[in-house]
Amino acid sequence: GDSVTQMEGPVTLSEEAFLTINCTYTATGYPSLFWYVQYPGEGLQLLLKATKADDKGSNKGFEATYRKETTSFHLEKGSVQVSDSAVYFCALTAGGTSYGKLTFGQGTILTVHP
Amino acid sequence: EPEVTQTPSHQVTQMGQEVILRCVPISNHLYFYWYRQILGQKVEFLVSFYNNEISEKSEIFDDQFSVERPDGSNFTLKIRSTKLEDSAMYFCASSGQANTIYFGEGSWLTVV
C-alpha cells in the first residue's frame, strides 16, 4: 500500500538556519504530495502541495519539489524563525478511487531557538 | 478565508458512552472526511463521504463508528460505545474539486 517516510526528529535549529526535512514515498500511480504543519495546540494546516512530477510547491518561504525519480518531496526553508516551531507532516493522496484519502508520514518536530 | 469548524474542541466521556463529534465543512465543498491522531502517533484516515454516502473507510472505522450529514451544513462522526483506545484528536476535513484537503482544528476526545 501507499506509505510516507519522514526523517527522524526532532529537529532543533537556531534562528536563520537552513532547514531540510526529508520525505520519501511509496505509491502506485501518480500521487499528489503535500506538506501540512501543526502548530502547538492547533489543527493541521496545509503548507504547500505539488500535484505532478517536477512541480515545486511553495508558501511562507518553504519549498518542496516533487521528484518522481527519487520518490521524494523534501521540505526546505532558507532561514527559519522561532515562529516556524511546529510539527511538519508529509502526506500523499493517490487519487482515483482513493480521492481525498491522505496517507501521512509520522511527523517531524521542529524547534527553532532564538 | 473559509475554514472547517469543529465542536466540541475537547470532550471527556466515560467508557461505553456514545459520542457525537460535529463539523461544519467549507460551504462549497463536496467531499468530507474524518481522520484521527492518537497522541504521539500518525494521523490516520478513518472515512470519506461523498454524495451522501461513504466512499471509502479504513479498518479502524468499524461498526462502532458512523457518519452522517443530517442537513446541508453539518457532518458528524458518532462513536456508539467508546473504548479507552478511542482517545485521540479527531479531525474533520473537506475538499472541493482541487484535491486539496482542508482540516479543522480537531476535537480532542478523552475516554475515561
Side-chain angles (χ1 to χ4, degrees):
Chain A
D2 299 338
S3 67
V4 176
T5 303
Q6 289 180 233
M7 65 184 288
E8 293 291 327
V11 174
T12 302
L13 296 173
S14 298
E15 209 164 23
E16 299 183 4
F18 183 84
L19 168 71
T20 300
I21 301 178
N22 289 340
C23 171
T24 57
Y25 68 89
T26 303
T28 54
Y30 301 95
S32 295
L33 302 174
F34 305 84
W35 277 99
Y36 282 85
V37 58
Q38 187 177 32
Y39 296 103
E42 299 185 16
L44 294 165
Q45 298 178 24
L46 177 65
L47 181 59
L48 54 84
K49 68 174 184 178
T51 57
K52 61 183 188 297
D54 299 324
D55 267 3
K56 178 185 283 188
S58 61
N59 186 25
K60 300 181 181 180
F62 291 89
E63 293 183 340
T65 301
Y66 189 144
R67 301 286 188 202
K68 193 171 189 305
E69 64 277 10
T70 55
T71 61
S72 65
F73 193 54
H74 305 321
L75 182 68
E76 296 182 336
K77 187 175 186 183
S79 176
V80 294
Q81 305 301 311
V82 172
S83 57
D84 294 326
S85 298
V87 184
Y88 291 82
F89 293 91
C90 186
L92 68 82
T93 180
T97 57
S98 292
Y99 182 89
K101 177 185 174 184
L102 281 165
T103 299
F104 283 87
Q106 66 268 39
T108 301
I109 300 172
L110 170 67
T111 304
V112 180
H113 293 296
Chain B
E1 185 176 327
E3 58 181 21
V4 177
T5 58
Q6 291 186 240
T7 54
S9 56
H10 189 192
Q11 182 163 353
V12 180
T13 189
Q14 292 204 325
M15 193 167 49
Q17 294 298 303
E18 176 183 283
V19 161
I20 297 176
L21 304 179
R22 291 182 168 81
C23 169
V24 179
I26 294 173
S27 63
N28 61 347
H29 284 182
L30 301 175
Y31 300 84
F32 314 112
Y33 316 90
W34 284 99
Y35 286 76
R36 80 172 185 189
Q37 184 183 27
I38 295 172
L39 189 63
Q41 298 187 22
K42 286 188 181 188
V43 178
E44 302 171 291
F45 169 81
L46 292 179
V47 65
S48 59
F49 191 87
Y50 171 72
N51 200 24
N52 284 320
E53 60 182 25
I54 291 173
S55 46
E56 189 168 0
K57 61 183 181 179
S58 71
E59 295 174 350
I60 304 166
F61 195 87
D62 61 21
D63 292 344
Q64 293 298 311
F65 291 88
S66 63
V67 289
E68 191 177 33
R69 188 156 163 82
D71 53 42
S73 59
N74 291 284
F75 180 53
T76 62
L77 174 69
K78 181 191 292 186
I79 309 174
R80 289 188 182 82
S81 178
T82 49
K83 303 188 282 277
L84 294 176
E85 54 265 38
D86 294 328
S87 295
M89 176 75 87
Y90 288 82
F91 292 106
C92 176
S94 69
S95 65
Q97 296 295 330
N99 198 24
T100 299
I101 299 168
Y102 295 90
F103 285 80
E105 294 202 347
S107 294
W108 182 253
L109 175 65
T110 302
V111 182
V112 297

